[in-house]
Amino acid sequence: MTPQTTSLPTATAVLFVCLGNICRSPQAEGIFRHLATQAGLSAHFDIDSAGTAAYHTGELADARTRRASEAHGIALPHRARQFMVADFDRFDHILAMDRANMRDILALARSDADRAKVRLLRSHDPLAEVDSVPDPYYGVGDGFEQVFQICQAACQGLFWKLRPVT
Ligand code: 4NP
């Protein structure tokens, strides 16, 4: 008998990018992973985050980010890393948190195919009134909870578009 070859469904690779990779993008990464896990689709996605700057390479997410995330039952074990050109090869979708992040990512793009992968995360939230996720790093008050809510709304929109239709 001829052995059956089974082709595994190709994973969809999604990268969230901010400046430092310790506040917004690890939050979005954790939320998107949580959505995929809840839907039983974690094997379908390759999910990561990165920063356009290297200031915090190797660090856990900011303690205030982790507190906000843990309050919603999501742990963030990610260690910060800098965005690199090879990320255009690994990822299908590159989600920038704000316009400065998007400009810095696009400055590294080598082709129209690279550029076509880059979008603002909030473009996936149909109710968003502004296009960027605000940077909470130097802020006070409940900025980190607001960032959680903003990232959650946008990640839900993104997940809805990228989930495999069965
Ligand atoms: P993030 O926030 O880009 O959302 O991770 C920041 C974290 C650190 C710095 C700036 C923004 N910083 O200047 O160190």
Side-chain angles (χ1 to χ4, degrees):
M1 204 165 81
T2 314
Q4 293 278 320
T5 52
T6 49
S7 56
L8 289 170
T10 315
T12 299
V14 186
L15 181 67
F16 299 92
V17 183
C18 60
L19 174 62
N21 193 209
I22 56 168
C23 296
R24 295 164 293 172
S25 62
Q27 188 78 272
E29 177 197 346
I31 291 167
F32 194 89
R33 179 169 288 111
H34 185 68
L35 291 169
T37 301
Q38 278 186 320
L41 291 170
S42 51
H44 179 77
F45 290 102
D46 174 12
I47 307 162
D48 197 5
S49 64
T52 55
Y55 321 130
H56 297 283
T57 295
E59 294 177 19
L60 282 171
D62 187 285
R64 298 165 295 175
T65 296
R66 284 183 282 133
R67 259 198 305 280
S69 199
E70 281 160 14
H72 293 274
I74 299 174
L76 298 181
H78 179 78
R79 296 274 175 178
R81 72 165 178 91
Q82 189 170 24
F83 180 83
M84 53 191 166
V85 173
D87 287 322
F88 287 114
D89 301 322
R90 174 175 159 200
F91 293 96
D92 305 301
H93 303 276
I94 298 171
L95 289 314
M97 298 297 130
D98 65 31
R99 286 187 174 271
N101 309 147
M102 184 144 161
R103 183 199 60 221
D104 292 342
I105 296 164
L106 289 174
L108 297 173
R110 304 153 299 182
S111 64
D112 286 346
D114 286 354
R115 281 184 277 280
K117 295 178 176 187
V118 187
R119 294 271 301 270
L120 286 166
L121 175 64
R122 288 195 90 178
S123 69
H124 294 285
D125 177 359
L127 300 179
E129 288 171 359
V130 294
D131 61 15
S132 292
V133 182
D135 185 347
Y137 188 65
Y138 294 108
V140 290
D142 67 351
F144 288 81
E145 172 59 21
Q146 284 171 14
V147 164
F148 184 93
Q149 297 295 338
I150 288 167
C151 288
Q152 186 176 49
C155 282
Q156 281 167 339
L158 179 66
F159 182 71
W160 187 254
K161 287 174 199 160
L162 298 185
R163 79 202 191 292
V165 181
T166 47

